[in-house]
Short mmCIF file of all heavy atoms in Angstrom, two decimals:
data_model
loop_
_atom_site.label_atom_id
_atom_site.label_comp_id
_atom_site.label_asym_id
_atom_site.label_seq_id
_atom_site.Cartn_x
_atom_site.Cartn_y
_atom_site.Cartn_z
N LEU Y 20 -34.48 -3.96 -18.49
CA LEU Y 20 -33.50 -2.99 -17.97
C LEU Y 20 -34.00 -2.42 -16.65
O LEU Y 20 -33.23 -2.38 -15.64
CB LEU Y 20 -33.36 -1.80 -18.98
CG LEU Y 20 -32.59 -0.63 -18.50
CD1 LEU Y 20 -31.12 -1.00 -18.17
CD2 LEU Y 20 -32.47 0.54 -19.56
N GLN Y 21 -35.25 -2.09 -16.50
CA GLN Y 21 -35.84 -1.54 -15.27
C GLN Y 21 -35.68 -2.59 -14.17
O GLN Y 21 -35.36 -2.30 -12.99
CB GLN Y 21 -37.26 -1.13 -15.42
CG GLN Y 21 -37.47 0.01 -16.40
CD GLN Y 21 -36.86 1.28 -15.85
OE1 GLN Y 21 -36.74 1.50 -14.73
NE2 GLN Y 21 -36.31 2.10 -16.77
N SER Y 22 -35.89 -3.89 -14.60
CA SER Y 22 -35.68 -4.97 -13.57
C SER Y 22 -34.23 -5.03 -13.11
O SER Y 22 -33.95 -5.22 -11.91
CB SER Y 22 -36.21 -6.28 -14.19
OG SER Y 22 -35.89 -7.37 -13.25
N LEU Y 23 -33.32 -4.97 -14.10
CA LEU Y 23 -31.85 -5.17 -13.68
C LEU Y 23 -31.36 -4.01 -12.93
O LEU Y 23 -30.49 -4.18 -11.98
CB LEU Y 23 -31.04 -5.30 -15.05
CG LEU Y 23 -31.22 -6.56 -15.76
CD1 LEU Y 23 -30.37 -6.54 -17.13
CD2 LEU Y 23 -30.92 -7.85 -14.94
N ILE Y 24 -31.79 -2.76 -13.18
CA ILE Y 24 -31.38 -1.67 -12.31
C ILE Y 24 -31.57 -1.77 -10.93
O ILE Y 24 -30.80 -1.35 -10.12
CB ILE Y 24 -32.08 -0.33 -12.90
CG1 ILE Y 24 -31.52 -0.04 -14.26
CG2 ILE Y 24 -31.83 0.86 -11.98
CD1 ILE Y 24 -32.14 1.22 -14.98
N GLY Y 25 -32.65 -2.51 -10.56
CA GLY Y 25 -32.90 -2.79 -9.14
C GLY Y 25 -32.03 -3.81 -8.57
O GLY Y 25 -32.04 -4.00 -7.33
N THR Y 26 -31.32 -4.46 -9.33
CA THR Y 26 -30.33 -5.53 -8.85
C THR Y 26 -28.96 -4.99 -8.84
O THR Y 26 -28.43 -4.63 -9.97
CB THR Y 26 -30.46 -6.80 -9.62
OG1 THR Y 26 -31.67 -7.20 -9.64
CG2 THR Y 26 -29.51 -7.90 -9.03
N LYS Y 27 -28.27 -4.88 -7.75
CA LYS Y 27 -26.93 -4.30 -7.62
C LYS Y 27 -25.81 -5.33 -7.48
O LYS Y 27 -25.95 -6.17 -6.64
CB LYS Y 27 -26.94 -3.40 -6.45
CG LYS Y 27 -25.62 -2.47 -6.35
CD LYS Y 27 -25.79 -1.49 -5.23
CE LYS Y 27 -24.56 -0.55 -5.04
NZ LYS Y 27 -24.70 0.41 -3.97
N PRO Y 28 -24.85 -5.35 -8.33
CA PRO Y 28 -23.67 -6.26 -8.15
C PRO Y 28 -23.05 -6.04 -6.82
O PRO Y 28 -23.10 -5.01 -6.23
CB PRO Y 28 -22.80 -5.84 -9.24
CG PRO Y 28 -23.59 -5.13 -10.26
CD PRO Y 28 -24.61 -4.46 -9.52
N GLU Y 29 -22.45 -7.03 -6.29
CA GLU Y 29 -21.89 -6.97 -4.93
C GLU Y 29 -20.38 -6.73 -5.09
O GLU Y 29 -19.69 -7.37 -5.87
CB GLU Y 29 -22.08 -8.29 -4.18
CG GLU Y 29 -21.54 -8.32 -2.76
CD GLU Y 29 -21.63 -9.65 -2.09
OE1 GLU Y 29 -22.33 -10.65 -2.62
OE2 GLU Y 29 -21.12 -9.84 -0.96
N VAL Y 30 -19.91 -5.81 -4.24
CA VAL Y 30 -18.47 -5.57 -4.10
C VAL Y 30 -18.15 -5.70 -2.70
O VAL Y 30 -18.65 -5.14 -1.79
CB VAL Y 30 -18.09 -4.11 -4.63
CG1 VAL Y 30 -16.63 -3.80 -4.28
CG2 VAL Y 30 -18.26 -3.93 -6.06
N ARG Y 31 -17.03 -6.59 -2.40
CA ARG Y 31 -16.59 -6.78 -1.06
C ARG Y 31 -15.16 -7.00 -1.03
O ARG Y 31 -14.42 -7.25 -1.96
CB ARG Y 31 -17.20 -8.09 -0.50
CG ARG Y 31 -16.76 -9.41 -1.00
CD ARG Y 31 -17.44 -10.58 -0.45
NE ARG Y 31 -16.97 -11.86 -0.93
CZ ARG Y 31 -16.00 -12.53 -0.28
NH1 ARG Y 31 -15.39 -12.12 0.75
NH2 ARG Y 31 -15.57 -13.78 -0.79
N LEU Y 32 -14.55 -6.63 0.23
CA LEU Y 32 -13.09 -6.83 0.42
C LEU Y 32 -12.83 -8.26 0.70
O LEU Y 32 -13.17 -8.82 1.71
CB LEU Y 32 -12.62 -5.92 1.54
CG LEU Y 32 -11.15 -5.90 1.89
CD1 LEU Y 32 -10.27 -5.51 0.68
CD2 LEU Y 32 -10.86 -5.00 3.06
N LYS Y 33 -12.11 -8.94 -0.19
CA LYS Y 33 -11.81 -10.29 -0.06
C LYS Y 33 -10.49 -10.62 0.71
O LYS Y 33 -10.34 -11.57 1.45
CB LYS Y 33 -11.80 -10.94 -1.40
CG LYS Y 33 -11.58 -12.54 -1.38
CD LYS Y 33 -11.66 -13.16 -2.68
CE LYS Y 33 -11.50 -14.65 -2.64
NZ LYS Y 33 -11.53 -15.32 -3.92
N LYS Y 34 -9.53 -9.79 0.51
CA LYS Y 34 -8.17 -10.01 1.07
C LYS Y 34 -7.48 -8.70 1.35
O LYS Y 34 -7.59 -7.69 0.64
CB LYS Y 34 -7.24 -10.76 0.18
CG LYS Y 34 -5.91 -11.15 0.66
CD LYS Y 34 -5.22 -11.92 -0.31
CE LYS Y 34 -3.71 -12.18 0.19
NZ LYS Y 34 -2.85 -12.91 -0.77
N PHE Y 35 -6.77 -8.59 2.52
CA PHE Y 35 -6.02 -7.42 2.87
C PHE Y 35 -4.66 -7.89 3.36
O PHE Y 35 -4.57 -8.82 4.18
CB PHE Y 35 -6.76 -6.67 3.96
CG PHE Y 35 -5.91 -5.73 4.73
CD1 PHE Y 35 -5.45 -4.54 4.16
CD2 PHE Y 35 -5.56 -5.95 6.05
CE1 PHE Y 35 -4.67 -3.62 4.84
CE2 PHE Y 35 -4.71 -5.09 6.77
CZ PHE Y 35 -4.30 -3.93 6.15
N ASP Y 36 -3.60 -7.23 2.92
CA ASP Y 36 -2.32 -7.74 3.26
C ASP Y 36 -1.29 -6.62 3.08
O ASP Y 36 -1.60 -5.51 2.54
CB ASP Y 36 -1.87 -8.93 2.42
CG ASP Y 36 -0.75 -9.71 3.06
OD1 ASP Y 36 -0.28 -9.34 4.13
OD2 ASP Y 36 -0.35 -10.78 2.48
N ILE Y 37 -0.11 -6.72 3.78
CA ILE Y 37 0.93 -5.67 3.56
C ILE Y 37 1.85 -6.21 2.42
O ILE Y 37 2.39 -7.28 2.40
CB ILE Y 37 1.82 -5.54 4.86
CG1 ILE Y 37 0.94 -4.96 6.02
CG2 ILE Y 37 3.03 -4.71 4.64
CD1 ILE Y 37 1.76 -4.99 7.28
N ASP Y 38 1.93 -5.38 1.40
CA ASP Y 38 2.61 -5.63 0.19
C ASP Y 38 4.19 -5.43 0.34
O ASP Y 38 4.98 -6.31 0.04
CB ASP Y 38 2.08 -4.83 -1.02
CG ASP Y 38 2.80 -5.23 -2.29
OD1 ASP Y 38 2.60 -6.33 -2.74
OD2 ASP Y 38 3.54 -4.40 -2.86
#
Side-chain angles (χ1 to χ4, degrees):
L20 172 61
Q21 294 298 325
S22 175
L23 290 179
I24 288 177
T26 304
K27 188 175 183 179
E29 179 185 357
V30 172
R31 70 183 184 90
L32 179 61
K33 185 176 182 180
K34 181 183 177 183
F35 162 73
D36 202 354
I37 295 176
D38 183 65

